[in-house]
Amino acid sequence: MKRIGIGIALAAAVVSHAPGAHAFCGFYVGKAGSKLFNKASQVVLVRDGDRTVMTMASDFKGEMKEFAVVIPVPTVLKREQIHVGEKSLVDHVDGYSAPRLVEYFDSNPCRVMRFPEAIASASPAARMDVRDAQSRARSLGVTIEAQYTVGEYDIMILSAQQSSGLETWLRENGYRVPVGATEVIATYLRQNMRFFVAKVNLAEQAKLGFSYLRPLQVAYESPKFMLPIRLGMVNADGPQELFVYALPRNGRVATTNYRTTKLPSDVELPVYLKDRGEFGRFYKAMFARQVENERGHAVFLEYAWDMRWCDPCAADPLTSDELRKLGVFWSDSAGGGQAPNVFLTRLHVRYDSAHFPEDLVFQQTGDRTNFQGRYILRHAWTGDERCSAAATYRAELRARHEQEVERLASLTGWSIADIRKRAGIMGGPQPEPAWWERLWRK
């Protein structure tokens, strides 16, 4: 029997920058792409006025001669309106917009490491390197306020006089600054904010298990902004996953005939979710729980962002050329090599005929409020120093960890006891360690 299937792979991880411990971004750790879900369809919808370009990527597994696709379209298509696209483009959109895991590290509550102290403790050669780096930074109007090494991360706290100088410094030091970030950086500088920057290397190996076909693309004009899904449910053997990446000019895209709701985001969770495969396991369970809470009738917003930048970046923003290949036909009007005005909306739907009896009907909105599925890990400070601030920190840490456990259980439905065990947290209050317990600890 021939069937339709659509899928996607993960893009590579990239370095991101973070302006502060309580700011919107953080260390980028990993993401939950569409590859987590079986029988997943991915559709890119470029829309402006009545013009639509639709790209459909396939996760079909089997003999190619068994593949067939039947898609309702609102108008008769000429040969020139049909194109075979590049799978890597859909991969890139998926990677850029995927829900992401970020992490922070608690600082020593007893002291704050200042930049002059770091210089004083360094070797003469290291001090010379630091002075050279500081001199170059000053020439760009950038001040290195402090720098630390935390595990595999090299961290700096920066201030700057203007965004151009800061961008130049970041690029010279190996950071990839997304196109269009100048305005955003300038707004932070006007607020006299500092910038938390970090270099991190993270390699992810995606195991897909599917044989992919190149995506089909169609371009057409119609006042109807919709996606036919009912035909694909005729011979389906269970619920299917659908990821829609809408790329209009103005703002978010939402469904008009089904409720569009945001997934839970910006929540702190136990740090063991960084372990291999754990974040993907969490995200699948969390999404299933949200579908259940909405009784199977909702469309979920996973990402909404101006395509010209990101924070943190799960992948680089798409280039003007990539957007053009996906059908952003107004890209030539940007001029000067600038990225066109595109606002990406990522929607995730788990659907079957019982809960989604109608095709998806969309509307464009003027809402350009940024949103992303973002999940936070906060690593505890583990030093031995003793001070009043440290005593307060340790007393509050226990409650924070318990809140993280309860939050994870609420989002996923997992057993609190199992989560506590996995996170290394014992039940009940724990006393402050006696002074002699730390005396000869190595």
Side-chain angles (χ1 to χ4, degrees):
M1 178 180 294
K2 298 181 180 182
R3 69 176 180 87
I4 301 170
I6 302 176
I8 201 65
L10 280 176
V14 300
V15 172
S16 172
H17 68 270
H22 299 287
F24 189 62
C25 57
F27 295 108
Y28 171 68
V29 179
K31 57 192 165 190
S34 58
K35 83 179 189 79
L36 293 173
F37 300 90
N38 293 325
K39 294 182 290 185
S41 303
Q42 280 68 46
V43 178
V44 180
L45 292 174
V46 174
R47 177 78 172 183
D48 188 53
D50 288 344
R51 297 178 179 179
T52 300
V53 180
M54 181 167 59
T55 302
M56 300 155 287
S58 173
D59 70 351
F60 176 76
K61 184 178 180 180
E63 295 293 333
M64 292 299 138
K65 65 181 180 180
E66 294 296 322
F67 176 80
V69 60
V70 180
I71 305 169
V73 293
T75 184
V76 177
L77 300 176
K78 296 182 179 179
R79 171 64 184 85
E80 294 77 13
Q81 293 175 267
I82 304 171
H83 184 69
V84 178
E86 300 174 18
K87 173 181 169 291
S88 61
L89 298 176
V90 187
D91 289 357
H92 197 166
V93 176
D94 178 67
Y96 170 80
S97 61
R100 60 218 56 199
L101 189 66
V102 300
E103 62 183 353
Y104 299 108
F105 292 82
D106 289 350
S107 60
N108 184 340
C110 294
R111 61 188 176 92
V112 177
M113 183 69 168
R114 300 297 183 185
F115 184 62
E117 296 172 3
I119 294 177
S121 62
S123 66
R127 290 199 294 270
M128 179 62 71
D129 291 340
V130 168
R131 283 196 292 269
D132 290 344
Q134 189 179 30
S135 176
R136 174 54 179 163
R138 279 199 303 267
S139 71
L140 296 170
V142 176
T143 301
I144 304 174
E145 304 281 2
Q147 59 182 359
Y148 320 100
T149 297
V150 181
E152 70 232 46
Y153 298 92
D154 293 326
I155 302 164
M156 289 188 177
I157 310 300
L158 306 177
S159 60
Q161 297 176 10
Q162 56 187 9
S163 58
S164 59
L166 181 57
E167 286 192 60
T168 299
W169 188 94
L170 289 170
R171 291 192 176 98
E172 288 181 355
N173 285 271
Y175 293 88
R176 288 182 281 181
V177 181
V179 175
T182 302
E183 181 180 349
V184 180
I185 291 175
T187 62
Y188 290 140
L189 293 177
R190 286 194 292 269
Q191 299 174 59
N192 197 33
M193 296 182 69
R194 304 300 190 263
F195 290 80
F196 181 108
V197 301
K199 287 185 177 180
V200 57
N201 292 317
L202 178 65
E204 290 188 351
Q205 181 178 1
K207 297 180 180 179
L208 302 175
F210 287 91
S211 297
Y212 290 97
L213 301 172
R214 289 194 298 167
L216 284 168
Q217 295 181 288
V218 294
Y220 58 89
E221 290 189 41
S222 171
K224 296 180 180 179
F225 187 21
M226 52 84 69
L227 184 64
I229 62 173
R230 289 176 295 167
L231 192 59
M233 292 186 286
V234 172
N235 60 350
D237 57 359
Q240 301 180 70
E241 306 290 332
L242 172 63
F243 294 86
V244 178
Y245 314 95
L247 299 172
R249 292 191 204 227
N250 298 329
R252 291 188 191 180
V253 167
T255 48
T256 61
N257 56 339
Y258 297 102
R259 170 177 160 80
T260 302
T261 186
K262 297 177 183 177
L263 281 177
S265 182
D266 290 324
V267 292
E268 294 184 8
L269 300 169
V271 296
Y272 81 82
L273 290 182
K274 185 180 177 180
D275 294 349
R276 183 181 178 88
E278 289 294 339
F279 181 54
R281 177 171 168 263
F282 152 74
Y283 198 80
K284 290 178 68 176
M286 185 271 293
F287 185 79
R289 183 83 161 181
Q290 300 309 308
V291 171
E292 181 181 345
N293 290 344
E294 296 290 338
R295 299 183 180 180
H297 293 284
V299 175
F300 294 94
L301 177 68
E302 291 188 332
Y303 194 80
W305 211 275
D306 187 323
M307 179 58 81
R308 291 172 290 190
W309 68 292
C310 46
D311 187 9
C313 296
D316 288 334
L318 273 68
T319 65
S320 296
D321 183 60
E322 289 175 313
L323 290 170
R324 178 75 180 185
K325 290 178 179 179
L326 280 173
V328 179
F329 47 85
W330 61 90
S331 59
D332 293 340
S333 63
Q338 296 181 352
N341 183 21
V342 177
F343 195 91
L344 170 63
T345 301
R346 175 187 175 119
L347 301 173
H348 185 179
V349 189
R350 178 169 294 172
Y351 67 100
D352 57 25
S353 57
H355 299 92
F356 284 82
E358 301 176 359
D359 292 326
L360 299 180
V361 180
F362 303 105
Q363 67 174 353
Q364 300 180 66
T365 74
D367 185 0
R368 296 182 69 88
T369 306
N370 293 325
F371 173 82
Q372 60 181 316
R374 173 177 173 269
Y375 305 91
I376 304 166
L377 308 182
R378 286 182 61 192
H379 295 266
W381 173 70
T382 57
D384 291 337
E385 293 187 46
R386 302 179 70 84
C387 65
S388 59
T392 301
Y393 171 83
R394 293 186 181 104
E396 294 175 348
L397 186 62
R398 171 74 189 173
R400 187 181 92 188
H401 286 166
E402 187 62 29
Q403 289 173 359
E404 292 170 353
V405 166
E406 293 175 357
R407 194 175 294 119
L408 179 57
S410 175
L411 288 173
T412 61
W414 293 346
S415 162
I416 287 184
D418 291 343
I419 296 173
R420 285 199 185 105
K421 181 178 180 181
R422 187 69 179 84
I425 299 174
M426 302 300 293
Q430 301 296 310
E432 174 76 8
W435 65 271
W436 44 262
E437 290 184 274
R438 299 178 180 271
L439 188 58
W440 293 288
R441 180 181 296 176
K442 294 183 179 180

